[in-house]
Amino acid sequence: MTIATDQLDQLAVDTIRTLSIDGVQQANSGHPGAPMGMAPMTYALWTRHLRHAPTNPAWPNRDRFVLSAGHASMLLYSMLHLTGYGVSLEDVESFRQWGSITPGHPEYGLTPGVEATTGPLGQGLTNAVGMAIAERRLAAEFNRDGHELIDHRTYVICSDGDLQEGVASEASSLAGHLKLGKLIALYDDNRIQLDGPTAWAFTEDVLGRFAAYGWHVQQVEDGTDLAAIDAAIRVAQADDRPSIIAVRTVIGYGSPNKAGTQKAHGAPLGPDEVRLTKEAYGWDPDKTFFVPDEARDLFRRAIDEGRTRVADWESRLGDYADAYPNEAAELRRRVAGRLPDGWDAGLPSWDAGTEVATRNASQDAIQLLAAALPELFGGSADLSESNLTDVKANGHDHFESDHAGRNLRFGVREHAMGGIINGIAYHGGFLPYAATFLTFSDYMRGAVRLASLSGLHVTYVWTHDSVGLGEDGPTHQPVEHYAALRAIPNLWFVRPGDGNEAAAAWALAVERPAIAGAAAGPVALAFTRQKLPTLPGTKEHAREGVRRGGYILREASGGEPQLILIGTGSELQLCTAAAEALEAGGIATRVVSLPCWERFDAQDQAYRDRVLPPVVKKRVSVEAGVSFGWERWVGDEGAIIGIDHFGASAPAGTIFKEFGFTTDRVADVGRRVVREGLHGRLKTLSLPHGDHPTLDQGDPGVDRTPGSDPGHD
């Protein structure tokens, strides 16, 4: 029996809807309404425009599809199953269940065909901007006349909630500025969100806003009109600006009692309403997870079409390799994510005593790494002259609307910057990095968390890493940030203590996925504004020591140590100087550099015990941040020198002195720990009238100096 085209289209659309309804209902959890309303636009996009390959999900020249409205995940899982990806009907039936590949929101690396981890609204649209940037840059590097190997689009479906989030506004503004013409967004304009009508909080002219950003805008009044949706996508493809198409849909389409209301948004329809809805579609209400043969055959055309596309591309890649063998080999390496031999041969180093700010050491490392790694690609949030992150070769080659250069200018858009470099990483072919002041990592946190969750190979360059930045004051001085960032699973936070450790930290960031036993993920590098002395031993040992997260920088003289001083960042120099003073007084002191807790914790027990022997319980940690977390390394008989209050506006030297970060202070604490059995947390206190800091043992039986105040005047 032959079904008319329009009837087959309707059957296919309703198959998407009913699979989504059944998945949510069986899980008794999820969001059925959005898939029901968005099914026609998704069907039109996937069957008429999306160039993909279900049996080869990683094909480099595929179009990218991002479901920014990640709560509508059953829509995506339905499409992946129907078009022949490695998502079985059983996987769809196990939506949101333990061990399934169909979790509540899409997760990159878990489900074949999922291009980005989405759910936190605004992130997917932001990732899509990064993907479009990556496509343009990769095309500029490798395409040649007659050889257009890199030529694909990025499509994203977004919701009202996505467009209300500030991160999406930041990213969309930049996308319009850069004229990312291969980026097309379909906006599910259903006028409903979880609490009720969007009009309660969202009455702006969305298309007017995007037009002001520099986007091409269109509107489709009827979200079930496949011809109108198809035509709008074709118009968008012909424009050289990013495009947004507002498609007026009905949330929960077809549900007799819940369509068009928030009741269809975030909960199953319920057995009775599911039955009524299927009857409204003309379906047998007693069948669940039913895929008509005609609909399956239509969707599965994508398999052969994808194979044909991949075969054609591989043939063109072969022709390209004949004409440009070096470029073809490089493209294959980049797409595979392999590092070239000798990539780290030119890393900079400094002799002991040389003074260099670690942000300057980072700048030197970037230049040398960039020469060996053309995939190193990133920029700063309007702070490149402070973060020192520009690649200087080729006259500061910047990425602009008419030029796909190497340095990205993100503007003052930290959150979007984080999401965009995630998108570049999702796309592949690059080692993206992003830079700002460490204190503004707070603005990036949502994107940093998703990079960690998704195992993305991205690098954060966060400079001005402590109260040592000085006169800008507490608004710009990170204090709680070290602890907060160390709390993010799978993020490696590295705080190097001198130039050699900074170069080693960059090497660690580059090679993270290649380290045996290490999961892929992001690396955060925290660098100083102020100059630091290059410490004895780092030139020889920093590379391996930083790679392992911690190492013995200075051994105690005369055998086993009585005391271990543990430092990170700019405070490491205080540990080495204090060790000299302590040794002169007869206390054998070891100095341990612990720049990356996560890497040190991943080492085998024998190595950790060699660096921090369990028998040596007298330990002092020194770090210009909150003391939270240091207990695990210091133990019950040690002391923690930290800053459990905000900073101050003054020259860096003055701040460190007033907050008790001096050689004498560290040495004094060390002596007390060894000789008096002092234990418990030691806080540095900033006192009125320039008094010297007192030591708070955290013991209610010990009085503080009268008038002490953990704040500052």
Side-chain angles (χ1 to χ4, degrees):
M1 176 180 176
T2 303
I3 300 179
T5 300
D6 58 344
Q7 293 176 316
L8 184 56
D9 285 339
Q10 190 61 55
L11 182 69
V13 168
D14 288 341
T15 299
I16 300 169
R17 287 170 168 153
T18 55
L19 275 182
S20 299
I21 291 170
D22 287 342
V24 172
Q25 189 60 44
Q26 179 148 306
N28 196 30
S29 174
H31 300 74
M36 295 162 73
M38 294 193 294
M41 76 168 84
T42 307
Y43 171 75
L45 174 62
W46 278 61
T47 61
R48 302 181 186 182
H49 298 281
L50 194 70
R51 297 179 299 174
H52 62 125
T55 59
N56 191 349
W59 172 43
N61 201 41
R62 69 192 181 279
D63 288 340
R64 271 59 172 181
F65 173 77
V66 179
L67 182 65
S68 192
H71 56 277
S73 56
M74 265 308 307
L75 172 73
L76 179 54
Y77 302 145
S78 297
M79 294 305 301
L80 293 172
H81 167 68
L82 291 169
T83 56
Y85 285 80
V87 179
S88 68
L89 193 59
E90 290 74 19
D91 292 325
V92 175
E93 292 173 351
S94 62
F95 176 56
R96 289 186 169 221
Q97 302 309 300
W98 177 263
S100 77
I101 64 167
T102 51
H105 293 83
E107 295 180 28
Y108 174 78
L110 176 66
T111 313
V114 169
E115 299 280 10
T117 299
T118 59
L121 292 173
Q123 293 290 338
L125 178 57
T126 304
N127 298 157
V129 173
M131 293 175 186
I133 288 173
E135 190 275 343
R136 180 184 287 179
R137 173 66 190 167
L138 206 63
E141 288 187 80
F142 290 101
N143 286 354
R144 300 291 185 272
D145 289 343
H147 298 278
E148 302 295 317
L149 286 179
I150 308 299
D151 181 18
H152 51 267
R153 299 183 188 279
T154 301
Y155 296 96
V156 57
I157 288 182
C158 57
S159 64
D160 293 302
D162 285 297
L163 300 187
Q164 290 171 34
E165 288 284 2
V167 65
S169 297
E170 292 179 20
S172 298
S173 172
L174 184 59
H177 168 73
L178 294 176
K179 295 184 179 179
L180 298 176
K182 291 186 177 178
L183 173 62
I184 298 176
L186 296 169
Y187 163 34
D188 178 32
D189 184 14
N190 62 36
R191 298 188 172 183
I192 293 292
Q193 53 196 84
L194 192 147
D195 277 352
T198 56
W200 286 358
F202 190 56
T203 54
E204 69 188 41
D205 178 359
V206 172
L207 293 185
R209 170 158 65 100
F210 274 79
Y213 288 153
W215 287 53
H216 176 248
V217 301
Q218 298 179 81
Q219 189 164 22
V220 174
E221 291 289 350
D222 181 358
T224 67
D225 189 340
L226 295 176
I229 295 168
D230 176 57
I233 293 173
R234 293 185 189 280
V235 170
Q237 290 169 343
D239 204 278
D240 63 357
R241 296 166 290 175
S243 291
I244 184 169
I245 304 167
V247 183
R248 182 63 53 77
T249 62
V250 176
I251 193 170
Y253 181 91
S255 170
N257 298 302
K258 296 185 177 181
T261 74
Q262 71 267 33
K263 293 179 181 180
H265 177 82
L269 296 179
D272 293 341
E273 193 69 13
V274 169
R275 188 174 191 86
L276 291 173
T277 302
K278 288 184 178 180
E279 289 175 346
Y281 294 155
W283 285 56
D284 183 345
D286 293 320
K287 291 184 177 179
T288 59
F289 298 101
F290 174 60
V291 180
D293 291 340
E294 298 88 349
R296 185 181 301 279
D297 290 344
L298 185 156
F299 283 113
R300 292 295 166 90
R301 294 174 190 169
I303 294 175
D304 287 339
E305 291 170 353
R307 286 176 175 149
T308 299
R309 290 189 185 101
V310 172
D312 174 68
W313 189 81
E314 292 286 355
S315 176
R316 291 190 287 118
L317 178 59
D319 293 340
Y320 180 83
D322 290 339
Y324 304 99
N326 293 336
E327 289 83 352
E330 176 68 4
L331 177 60
R332 288 191 176 102
R333 180 190 72 78
R334 293 271 294 274
V335 168
R338 295 191 306 269
L339 294 173
D341 293 339
W343 63 271
D344 57 346
L347 279 174
S349 64
W350 291 265
D351 293 329
T354 305
E355 290 198 345
V356 58
T358 52
R359 65 167 175 169
N360 292 86
S362 166
Q363 181 184 45
D364 290 349
I366 288 172
Q367 307 317 310
L368 291 163
L369 288 169
L373 300 170
E375 59 264 46
L376 195 65
F377 181 39
S380 171
D382 194 46
L383 287 169
S384 62
E385 292 189 2
S386 294
N387 302 140
L388 306 180
T389 46
D390 273 355
V391 175
K392 295 181 178 180
N394 302 319
H396 286 222
D397 186 22
H398 290 286
F399 192 103
E400 301 290 355
S401 61
D402 59 350
H403 179 70
R406 190 158 185 179
N407 296 301
L408 283 164
R409 299 178 185 267
F410 289 102
V412 188
R413 301 182 180 100
E414 291 91 351
H415 199 179
M417 175 175 67
I420 287 169
I421 66 165
N422 285 355
I424 295 171
Y426 283 130
H427 180 279
F430 294 98
L431 298 177
Y433 64 91
T436 186
F437 290 173
L438 179 56
T439 191
F440 301 137
S441 65
D442 284 346
Y443 286 167
M444 301 175 63
R445 193 175 179 87
V448 173
R449 183 177 189 272
L450 286 177
S452 302
L453 172 63
S454 302
L456 297 182
H457 190 193
V458 300
T459 301
Y460 308 111
V461 181
W462 289 328
T463 69
H464 297 59
D465 78 327
S466 75
V467 293
L469 74 88
E471 291 86 348
D472 279 338
T475 60
H476 284 51
Q477 293 168 0
V479 174
E480 73 279 22
H481 298 72
Y482 313 152
L485 291 163
R486 286 169 178 149
I488 299 177
N490 201 38
L491 173 67
W492 293 358
F493 177 76
V494 190
R495 190 163 180 257
D498 70 0
N500 291 321
E501 286 198 353
W506 257 112
L508 178 68
V510 168
E511 67 180 347
R512 174 169 179 174
I515 296 175
V523 179
L525 309 178
F527 297 128
T528 65
R529 174 181 183 267
Q530 73 274 25
K531 290 183 178 181
L532 305 179
T534 301
L535 302 173
T538 60
K539 187 173 182 179
E540 297 78 17
H541 304 298
R543 177 64 192 279
E544 181 61 18
V546 171
R547 199 170 191 261
R548 304 194 74 163
Y551 65 107
I552 300 169
L553 176 61
R554 182 195 184 281
E555 188 54 280
S557 61
E560 289 297 315
Q562 299 169 266
L563 173 70
I564 299 176
L565 301 180
I566 312 170
T568 77
S570 53
E571 295 75 68
L572 188 58
Q573 62 176 308
L574 300 178
C575 294
T576 59
E580 297 288 342
L582 288 162
E583 294 249 349
I587 299 176
T589 305
R590 172 183 291 180
V591 175
V592 168
S593 174
L594 200 67
C596 184
W597 292 14
E598 299 78 24
R599 284 300 296 150
F600 187 71
D601 196 45
Q603 304 307 307
D604 59 68
Q605 188 67 47
Y607 179 79
R608 296 199 305 272
D609 288 349
R610 187 160 69 250
V611 176
L612 295 174
V615 297
V616 184
K617 299 183 182 298
K618 307 298 185 181
R619 303 175 183 180
V620 177
S621 68
V622 187
E623 186 175 66
V626 295
S627 54
F628 180 82
W630 273 105
E631 296 89 348
R632 66 181 301 189
W633 309 117
V634 169
D636 294 336
E637 297 185 31
I640 301 167
I641 299 178
I643 302 178
D644 289 320
H645 52 79
F646 292 114
S649 179
T654 301
I655 293 174
F656 279 125
K657 178 181 177 181
E658 293 299 324
F659 288 171
F661 284 87
T662 65
T663 300
D664 289 346
R665 161 75 165 172
V666 174
D668 181 50
V669 172
R671 291 186 195 97
R672 294 181 61 184
V673 166
V674 171
R675 294 174 177 170
E676 302 175 23
L678 182 67
H679 65 277
R681 181 177 302 166
L682 297 179
K683 300 178 183 178
T684 58
L685 302 179
S686 175
L687 305 178
H689 312 301
D691 291 346
H692 291 294
T694 62
L695 305 185
D696 173 17
Q697 302 179 44
D699 183 343
V702 178
D703 292 333
R704 296 185 184 184
T705 300
S708 66
D709 181 355
H712 65 269
D713 287 346

